[in-house]
Amino acid sequence: MNQITKYRGPDDQGVYCDHSVSLGHARLSIIDLSEHGHQPMSNEDQSVWLVYNGEIYNFQSLRADLIEKGHLFKSNTDTEVIIHAYEEYGLDCVKKFNGMWAFSLFDLKNNTIVLGRDQFGIKPLYYYADDGKIIFSSMISALLCHTIQVSPHERAIMEYLAHNLEDHTDYTFFTGVNKVPQDSLLIYDLSKKQYRLHKWYSPAKRKEADIQTIRESFVESIRLRTIADVPIGSCLSGGIDSSAIVSILNTLLSDRFNTFSLVVPGFSLDESKYILEVGKNNNVQQYFTQISEDNFLKEFRDFVLSQEEPVTGLSPYAQYSVMKLAHQHKAKVLLDGQGGDEIFAGYSYYFAYYFYELLRGGNFLTLGREMRKYRKNFKDLYSLKMFGFLLLPEFLKYRFWKIITPSWINHEYLMEKCDGEMDPRWRRMTLPEGLSLTLYSTAIPHLLRWEDKNSMRWSIESRPPFLDVNLVEAAMSLPSDKKIAHGRTKVIFVDAVKDCLPAMIRDRTDKVGFAAPTDEFFRKEEIIDFCKGIIYSDSFKSRPYWNWEEVENHYTRHLQGTINIGDTIWKWINLEIWLREFFSEPAQKTGDIISNGSVEAQPGMPVGVIPAKSSL
C-alpha cells in the first residue's frame, strides 16, 4: 500500500504493525522537514499512533495551549499536535482544528481506530469494511492490493452519464469502497469489529458578516496557507478568485513566487490576457502549459489511474497538466481557487435559486428587477428557463426528464439503477439551500477530488483558501442579496477584494471557469483515431449503459460539426478506459490502444497483497 501511494509522499515512508493493526504512511515533507516528522507517529507511551495527510494551519496556537496543559513535544509538526489534542480533548479535538486533513488514530487503550476528515472533505479517505476487517487509504488503488470483492458501481456510473454527478454521496464507483464523509469521524471498535459514523461539524451561523469581515477572513485564510517550510506558489486561471489569491499573496510574501497556468491560444475562452495582466501587477514568475494531442495520448492512462474514478470533462486533465508543469519547476505547495463560486454564488445558474427565493418570499418587484438585470448582463435565457423548470410540478419534471434524457443512454437501465430519481439540483431551493447542496454534494466534493488526485500525482500539496472554515461560515451566513444583486454574482466578494485586483480583472462580467476546448479537441485527427479505437471496440459496444447505434450517430454528427458533444465523448472514453484498467484482464487494458509511451511511474496499479491495512 505504501508503494502504491508513494507519489503522494515521496520524501519518507514508515510502517507500524502489531498483532491486529498495521498503519503505513508516505510523507510529503512540508512542515518540520527533519526526521522528527516521520510517521506513523506516537505519543510518549506509544498508546496512540497516528498516520495523517493534510495541514492543521492553527497548530502553533494549539501547540502552545497544549504545552501549558503539560504536554511534551519532540517535533515542530502539526502531526504531533493532533496526537496531543486527541489525548487532551478526545474526539472533540477535531472541533479545534482549522485546516484540511484525513487521519487515522489507533487508540490502544480504547482498542479503537478513529478515521477523520476535515469539515469540507479537502483530503480524501476511503475504506472497505467486511469480514471482520477494515482497510483504509488516501487512494482506492491501495485498497485493491488486498483480496476484496469490488465491482463497478452501476448506480454511480448511470448518475455520472445521465446527470454529471460524481462524489455526491459516500459511495464510490467501486462497490464496497466508501468515503469517510466530510465533517465526520468513523470509529472502529477492534474488539467488536464494528464501526459507527459520528458527524462532528455543522456550520455555525455568524451574525456580523460584512465586506470587512469577508476581506479580513480571506486575507487571514491565505496567510495561514503560507505556513510551510518550503516555497509557496499558486495556480492562476485569470478569473477573479485565483487573481485575488495571487494579489494578496503578493502582499504577504517578501520574495518572488511562481504561478502556473493553462493557456489555449485561439480558443474563444482562452484567458491568457488576464493571466498576463495579473503577472504585470505582482512580483511573480509565470509558467504556462498547453494541452497537446501527443501529451494527451501519452498521459491519458496515467491520468485515469491517478484519478481512480471517472471525471466529467477535459478540464480535470488540463489541471493535471498544470500540476505536472508545477512539478517540473519543483513546486511542493500551491494555493488554488476551489470553492469561491460555491460559497459566494459565482455561477449564473444560481440566479434560478435566487429567483425562486424571491418568489417564495413575495418579493415580486425585486424578482422582476433581477430577472431584467440578469437578461441584460448575461444575454441568455438559461437561468430564466431553469427557474421556470424549478416551478413545474414533480410529475411534469419527471416527464420532462424522460424526454430530455439523451437517446444514447439506456433509459431502462438508468431507471433500474437510479430508482427513477432525478438530478438533485432540480429540486426547488432557495439560494442558501442551493449553495449548501453544491458545497457538500454536487460540486465541491468532485472538484476537490480532481484537485487532490491531480496535485498529489505530482507530489504537490494544494491548499484552497476559500474553504477555510471561518471564511465559509462568514460567507454562508450572508443574506442572498449580498451575493447576487443587480444581475451580478459574487457581489460582496468582488467588492471586498476589488482594490487589490487589476481593473481588467475587477471589471470582468464574463464567467469562464477553468475551461478547456473540449469540442474542438475531439475533432483533431489523432484524437479521432484514438476515440474510434474505443467507441468501435467490442467491449464498448457490449456495455449496458448506452445504446451503441445512438452513440455512433451522435459521434458522427459531432465529427460533422452539426452538434457539439465533446464532454459526452469524454465521458464515453473515460468510463471505458476506467473499466478496462480496474476491471479487465491485463491484456485488455488501455496499453493495447495507447502504444506511444507513458510518464514516469504508473500510479494506482495493484502490486500484490501485503499485510498493511492502511496507508495515508
Side-chain angles (χ1 to χ4, degrees), residues 185-309:
L185 299 171
L186 184 153
I187 300 100
Y188 188 88
D189 188 316
L190 288 159
S191 300
K192 298 179 180 178
K193 300 189 183 302
Q194 296 176 349
Y195 69 88
R196 61 184 175 91
L197 292 172
H198 169 63
K199 180 179 171 65
W200 63 268
Y201 173 75
S202 295
K205 185 74 174 178
R206 305 199 177 195
K207 296 180 180 179
E208 299 181 358
D210 53 21
I211 288 179
Q212 188 62 25
T213 303
I214 296 301
R215 167 73 176 228
E216 291 174 355
S217 297
F218 184 58
V219 172
E220 175 62 8
S221 174
I222 294 174
R223 186 195 68 79
L224 287 172
R225 282 153 185 80
T226 64
I227 297 174
D229 295 327
V230 296
I232 302 292
S234 183
C235 298
L236 176 60
S237 69
I240 288 174
D241 294 343
S242 64
S243 299
I245 290 171
V246 169
S247 297
I248 291 175
L249 263 182
N250 191 59
T251 68
L252 297 173
L253 300 178
S254 57
D255 297 328
R256 196 179 200 192
F257 61 97
N258 298 334
T259 66
F260 303 94
S261 306
L262 176 81
V263 294
V264 194
F267 179 43
S268 61
L269 299 180
D270 177 58
E271 298 195 281
S272 299
K273 64 180 181 181
Y274 301 110
I275 295 169
L276 292 171
E277 184 68 12
V278 174
K280 292 176 185 177
N281 286 270
N282 294 282
N283 185 27
V284 297
Q285 174 65 54
Q286 295 188 298
Y287 296 97
F288 305 91
T289 190
Q290 299 182 38
I291 295 176
S292 72
E293 300 96 286
D294 184 57
N295 284 341
F296 175 83
L297 293 174
K298 289 179 180 178
E299 297 169 347
F300 189 60
R301 177 173 183 254
D302 182 81
F303 170 77
V304 170
L305 292 170
S306 300
Q307 282 292 324
E308 301 191 299
E309 298 177 272

Side-chain angles (χ1 to χ4, degrees), residues 330-482:
K330 312 300 183 184
K332 292 194 78 168
V333 174
L334 295 181
L335 273 60
D336 197 60
Q338 301 291 9
D341 292 312
E342 288 73 19
I343 65 173
F344 289 112
Y347 295 112
S348 63
Y349 69 81
Y350 285 124
F351 275 97
Y353 301 131
Y354 185 46
F355 295 157
Y356 174 71
E357 181 180 339
L358 292 172
L359 177 66
R360 197 175 79 171
N363 299 310
F364 304 119
L365 292 177
T366 305
L367 173 61
R369 183 185 71 239
E370 289 296 339
M371 292 174 74
R372 289 193 302 273
K373 290 283 189 179
Y374 167 83
R375 183 73 178 91
K376 177 182 178 181
N377 291 346
F378 287 87
K379 297 179 174 56
D380 66 41
L381 299 175
Y382 179 80
S383 287
L384 298 173
K385 292 178 180 178
M386 183 176 171
F387 172 49
F389 179 78
L390 294 178
L391 298 180
L392 291 176
E394 292 302 305
F395 78 93
L396 286 180
K397 287 182 186 177
Y398 186 77
R399 293 183 63 180
F400 186 72
W401 173 50
K402 294 180 69 175
I403 293 170
I404 67 171
T405 300
S407 57
W408 58 265
I409 289 179
N410 183 340
H411 193 269
E412 291 184 1
Y413 201 71
L414 173 64
M415 296 291 290
E416 174 189 342
K417 297 302 177 182
C418 297
D419 298 322
E421 292 185 17
M422 297 180 290
D423 190 325
R425 292 164 290 197
W426 290 4
R427 298 195 303 265
R428 294 178 188 175
M429 288 179 280
T430 63
L431 180 59
E433 291 168 340
L435 292 172
S436 181
L437 178 71
T438 53
L439 176 62
Y440 289 106
S441 177
T442 58
I444 283 298
H446 73 245
L447 292 173
L448 291 175
R449 189 249 295 183
W450 299 350
E451 180 167 322
D452 176 84
K453 299 300 178 71
N454 282 331
S455 61
M456 295 300 275
R457 163 62 185 93
W458 298 107
S459 306
I460 292 170
E461 180 175 277
S462 182
R463 300 177 172 181
F466 282 100
L467 294 179
D468 179 272
V469 63
N470 294 309
L471 180 61
V472 171
E473 289 183 353
M476 299 298 274
S477 300
L478 292 165
S480 296
D481 61 3
K482 297 295 185 182

Side-chain angles (χ1 to χ4, degrees), residues 129-145:
D130 191 20
D131 298 329
K133 64 178 180 293
I134 186 167
I135 311 169
F136 48 90
S137 179
S138 299
M139 289 182 63
I140 295 173
S141 299
L143 307 182
L144 300 182
C145 75

